[in-house]
Amino acid sequence: ETGVTQSPTHLIKTRGQQVTLRCSSQSGHNTVSWYQQALGQGPQFIFQYYREEENGRGNFPPRFSGLQFPNYSSELNVNALELNDSALYLCASSFTSGRSYEQYFGPGTRLTVT
Amino acid sequence: RKEVEQDPGPFNVPEGATVAFNCTYSNSASQSFFWYRQDCRKEPKLLMSVYSSGNEDGRFTAQLNRASQYISLLIRDSKLSDSATYLCVVNTNAGKSTFGDGTTLTVKP
């Protein structure tokens, strides 16, 4: 087990609604990254938080936003849900040191938008 | 063209076989490289980091060729439990990680 937890495990929402997903990072880690994984594809990078600041962002619209808290846990918020937001949302925690870091994933939240 | 490309497979091999996966990346500023495995409907799990000098962990060997911008993973003596999707990951200094879409391996008795 990686020690990274996510909640909830499954979620069903309606188009246009808003959703908040949560992630608790592994003890000692200071960085959290969020990914969206559609069926048959690799995880797509949404953004990364390092010491409570956004540290990098992928090609996702502003309705995807996030937070990192002083204990390094994190939230992913998605507004105005669209049908193609249905996916597995993964968070990964890591310890950023120098240029290389290994990421450890939580079990994911499976979001279905109807 | 995708930033990180992998042969999707599937690779179907018998137990005991040696199998190799390649992954190419387009961003020459990429700094660190990893292989992950992902079982069906599970999260990715770190398999190994990839270093310029190449590295080995038991039956698994990873290599990096910066000049040609590709990384490889070699699995020797395949086991049934090696059946999974193998994802290569490329990181830049800007805190961005890019995953390939994965290569599916099925090891058969």
Side-chain angles (χ1 to χ4, degrees), chain A residues 80-93:
Chain A
L81 283 166
E82 299 177 1
L83 295 179
N84 64 6
D85 293 333
S86 296
L88 178 67
Y89 288 84
L90 295 158
C91 81
S93 86

Side-chain angles (χ1 to χ4, degrees), chain A residues 20-88:
Chain A
T20 297
L21 309 182
R22 295 179 174 82
C23 172
S24 291
S25 58
Q26 184 172 320
S27 176
H29 284 180
N30 57 12
T31 303
V32 173
S33 302
W34 285 92
Y35 296 86
Q36 179 195 69
Q37 187 174 26
L39 205 59
Q41 295 182 15
Q44 299 296 306
F45 178 74
I46 303 175
F47 42 57
Q48 180 188 91
Y49 278 83
Y50 170 62
R51 292 185 175 179
E52 302 177 59
E53 301 272 341
E54 188 178 289
N55 187 45
R57 190 177 181 94
N59 297 324
F60 280 81
R63 61 189 184 84
F64 286 78
S65 63
L67 282 173
Q68 187 181 31
F69 300 101
N71 66 355
Y72 302 123
S73 66
S74 178
E75 285 183 356
L76 164 66
N77 299 290
V78 187
N79 293 322
L81 283 166
E82 299 177 1
L83 295 179
N84 64 6
D85 293 333
S86 296
L88 178 67

